[in-house]
Amino acid sequence: MSKINGFVGRRNFLKFVGLSTLSMGTLTACNEIITNRSEIRIPENNPNPNPVSAEEAKRRLIAGNRRFVNQNRQYPNQSKRRLQSVSNKQYPYAAILGCADSRVPPEIIFDQGLGDIFVVRVAGNIATNETIGSLEYATANLGTQLIVVLGHKGCGAVSAAFDNQPDDGNINSVVDDIRPSLSPNSRTRRNSNRNDVNDDNNAVINNIEYQARQLQNNSQIIDKLIRDDRLKIVGAYYDINTGRVRFLT
């Protein structure tokens, strides 16, 4: 299996997960193509020789954020030795779907280093075909067992969707992917305090949870890993004023 900079070639990756006859984009965009979940073949064993459980991964992230908030950062895994050790292979213990906002760099706010976390960033932390495909790679190919959907206070993309303010250019496509999270039918109803989207914070939380559901609903691979108890998706909210990350239940 050929690798370039730690990534398996697209064709080999599809063979690796048993999908050589389907393109990844087709799979994630058209769930109806595969109606039988047993047709999705994922490696029987975790590709990571030392897999990290979702619970342990979350614990490490919480500990790292605590160090960041307390200004007690350790800057782990940033040495030249670490650089060389991950140059040919990577086994990140967690994956982050985060916002592209310059104030929310996951490696910094979680005090992590090279090869620790697999980060996918896009405005509004939305679950597009591209972000889903990237996370499928992290989970099926690299053995990551935790995906964190990380939203943040003061997210401009969510505010634009909440205020229903159209913008020029392709940013509208981002807003369109957020807007359904603000509709009554897609709101989280587990907590009565969140039934109504009445401010930006509630809107951000609703979007986090909506995008987390989209990851599973629009990916046969991610869905199967979750059903096989090999993957968990959790939401998290970052306060840009305090630096604190709060994981959502």
Side-chain angles (χ1 to χ4, degrees):
M1 189 176 296
S2 63
K3 295 186 179 181
I4 300 176
N5 294 331
F7 281 81
V8 177
R10 176 189 175 110
R11 180 175 299 177
N12 286 326
F13 172 55
L14 293 174
K15 290 180 180 178
F16 182 72
V17 295
L19 300 171
S20 58
T21 59
L22 292 173
S23 72
M24 187 63 69
T26 299
L27 178 62
T28 56
C30 304
N31 284 336
E32 66 272 13
I33 290 178
I34 296 180
T35 57
N36 185 355
R37 297 182 188 277
S38 64
E39 294 181 21
I40 299 293
R41 296 192 300 276
I42 296 171
E44 182 177 351
N45 298 316
N46 191 307
N48 187 341
N50 299 296
V52 177
S53 70
E55 291 75 16
E56 172 61 17
K58 182 179 175 182
R59 187 197 67 78
R60 292 185 188 183
L61 293 174
I62 291 173
N65 179 245
R66 185 181 299 115
R67 294 194 301 269
F68 172 73
V69 171
N70 294 333
Q71 293 296 292
N72 188 30
R73 286 170 285 178
Q74 296 177 358
Y75 306 99
N77 294 326
Q78 298 181 28
S79 66
K80 184 175 182 180
R81 181 177 180 180
R82 176 66 171 183
L83 174 68
Q84 294 171 340
S85 70
V86 298
S87 62
N88 293 322
K89 58 185 178 182
Q90 58 170 329
Y91 296 112
Y93 72 81
I96 312 287
L97 172 55
C99 183
D101 193 298
S102 64
R103 300 166 294 178
V104 194
E107 291 89 348
I108 294 178
I109 66 175
F110 288 114
D111 191 28
Q112 300 300 306
L114 297 170
D116 287 333
I117 54 178
F118 189 98
V119 178
V120 182
R121 298 179 68 183
V122 61
N125 43 274
I126 56 177
T128 66
N129 287 339
E130 292 77 13
T131 57
I132 290 173
S134 298
L135 293 169
E136 286 175 338
Y137 175 81
T139 53
N141 196 293
L142 304 181
T144 303
Q145 298 189 67
L146 177 69
I147 295 175
V148 179
V149 180
L150 180 65
H152 66 94
K153 181 177 181 178
C155 180
V158 172
S159 295
F162 179 66
D163 295 334
N164 199 26
Q165 294 179 348
D167 206 339
D168 295 329
N170 293 326
I171 188 63
N172 280 326
S173 66
V174 174
V175 174
D176 288 342
D177 282 342
I178 296 172
R179 193 170 286 117
S181 72
L182 309 181
S183 66
N185 291 334
S186 67
R187 292 176 190 156
T188 298
R189 301 189 184 282
R190 293 193 298 272
N191 185 329
S192 61
N193 292 331
R194 289 196 237 149
N195 284 348
D196 296 319
V197 182
N198 53 22
D199 58 32
D200 278 354
N201 287 345
N202 285 343
V204 168
I205 290 174
N206 273 298
N207 183 56
I208 292 168
E209 296 181 338
Y210 174 77
Q211 302 303 335
R213 293 192 298 272
Q214 291 295 95
L215 287 178
Q216 181 173 4
N217 293 341
N218 293 330
S219 170
Q220 297 281 350
I221 291 174
I222 290 175
D223 180 64
K224 181 169 176 57
L225 286 168
I226 292 173
R227 290 174 180 272
D228 290 346
D229 199 28
R230 296 174 59 181
L231 174 67
K232 290 185 179 180
I233 301 176
V234 298
Y237 176 87
Y238 177 67
D239 189 327
I240 60 174
N241 297 117
T242 66
R244 190 178 304 276
V245 174
R246 174 168 61 92
F247 281 85
L248 308 179
T249 57

